[in-house]
Amino acid sequence: AKLAHPKGLAMAADKTMYFADGTNIRSVDPDGIIHTLIGHHRHLNVWQPIPCQGAIPAQQAQLQWPTGLSLSPLDGSLHFIDDRLVLKLTADMKVKVVAGTPLHCHTHKEDKKQPVMRSENHHKNQNSDDDSSTSLGQVLALAFNPSGQLFIADSDSRKVNAIRVVDPAGRMADFAGRGHFYDKRDCDCMATNSSGTMPCQ
């Protein structure tokens, strides 16, 4: 069969290969037969947003540009990147969001927000968006560890690079790379360290 743009290979224990192909997710079974799991048999389709909640049948899902893939060591379920989302293909062939928030869902949240007074210290110390616990920037890579924790590398609009971790229960937390942001104007320009004094950079 002709392929459009294969990328993001993942191999299962039963020798099935999974890969992203253009805007589709496909597989090659041990007999060498190619199956389209998500998307259409034609390579190009019209993108539609993923629902903000719940799951949709795989044959109805239309992806933007899926890239990296990874298989859960707990149940073998396929997880994959699509722009700012990490999605999962469930055993009953449905697609659901595992991490990240679809962009159109941000708009719905903002419409419902009430004005909130924030202190000067809040703005100074704030190092992420209010919904950073669920939102992702551009997702760069993903991988599982043997215990089923999912690690996600992402880069947000301010070029802050981070690694998040999602536990098997679906809770996401920062793992690395999201250090405290500081204002250089607050820096003591004769900051001390173990070897003496050192001017601010």
Side-chain angles (χ1 to χ4, degrees), residues 75 77-80 86-90 94-98:
D75 59 8
S77 58
L78 180 66
H79 292 62
F80 58 94
V86 175
L87 304 172
K88 173 183 178 179
L89 180 63
T90 64
K94 292 185 178 180
V95 177
K96 63 179 295 185
V97 175
V98 172

Side-chain angles (χ1 to χ4, degrees), residues 44-55:
L44 299 177
N45 56 37
V46 178
W47 176 77
Q48 293 182 356
I50 295 292
C52 298
Q53 296 180 346

Side-chain angles (χ1 to χ4, degrees), residues 123-179:
H123 290 290
K124 183 180 294 185
N125 296 328
Q126 187 177 21
N127 61 7
S128 62
D129 296 332
D130 290 339
D131 56 352
S132 61
S133 61
T134 59
S135 299
L136 293 172
Q138 181 70 39
V139 181
L140 307 174
L142 79 169
F144 281 96
N145 70 7
S147 63
Q149 290 180 307
L150 175 61
F151 293 84
I152 302 167
D154 76 311
S155 180
D156 68 16
S157 60
R158 291 171 292 182
K159 305 302 181 184
V160 177
N161 301 314
I163 297 176
R164 317 289 189 92
V165 58
V166 181
D167 67 19
R171 295 182 294 263
M172 183 164 67
D174 293 332
F175 182 78
R178 295 179 67 84

